[in-house]
Amino acid sequence: EVYLAESGGGLVHAGGSLNLSCVASGFTFSDYWMQWVRQAPGKGPEWLSSISNVGGTTTYSDSVKGRFTISRENDKNTMNLQMNNLQPEDTAVYYCGRCGRGGCSASPNLAFGFWGQGTQVTVSS
């Protein structure tokens, strides 16, 4: 059974940093692309970043490019999201998700696929 679990969320002041982690089990982690998505209150899911199965390719949304860094450690079945210069508009629940073997959907849907339970990130002004 696919299992994903995020950690590392919390409350920070604007300009601060957090590092989110996602631990995976139940599948061959190194075979799949992975992604981070967030959902703010009253809004739909927003794709943030994807990383290829061996980490050689990373992509970011314009909203986080230059501030967030995605990475993975396949020997530990772990993916990370280093978030710097956080702003109040970054407040959301952050989810890690498993993509396919060849890439991630351009329109993530938290009702389908494999997702963690989410971790809350709150940025105060």
Side-chain angles (χ1 to χ4, degrees), residues 15-48:
S17 299
L18 284 173
N19 185 53
L20 304 184
S21 292
C22 172
V23 177
S25 63
F27 63 100
T28 303
F29 186 69
S30 59
D31 281 352
Y32 291 86
W33 286 59
M34 297 289 293
Q35 64 183 329
W36 287 98
V37 166
R38 69 186 178 190
Q39 187 164 25
K43 296 186 178 181
E46 177 189 9
W47 171 80
L48 301 177

Side-chain angles (χ1 to χ4, degrees), residues 73-88:
E73 298 175 82
N74 284 349
D75 58 338
K76 298 179 181 178
N77 283 9
T78 300
M79 176 178 65
N80 297 290
L81 186 68
Q82 175 65 41
M83 306 187 296
N84 297 327
N85 192 23
L86 285 161
Q87 299 300 316

Side-chain angles (χ1 to χ4, degrees), residues 48-105:
L48 301 177
S49 182
S50 299
I51 187 167
S52 60
N53 61 321
V54 295
T57 300
T58 58
T59 53
Y60 299 91
S61 69
D62 288 343
S63 63
V64 305
K65 192 176 299 181
R67 299 189 299 127
F68 292 10
T69 303
I70 192 172
S71 63
R72 64 190 296 165
E73 298 175 82
N74 284 349
D75 58 338
K76 298 179 181 178
N77 283 9
T78 300
M79 176 178 65
N80 297 290
L81 186 68
Q82 175 65 41
M83 306 187 296
N84 297 327
N85 192 23
L86 285 161
Q87 299 300 316
E89 53 266 35
D90 294 315
T91 295
V93 179
Y94 285 67
Y95 299 90
C96 67
R98 194 192 84 172
C99 304
R101 293 173 184 263
C104 300
S105 170

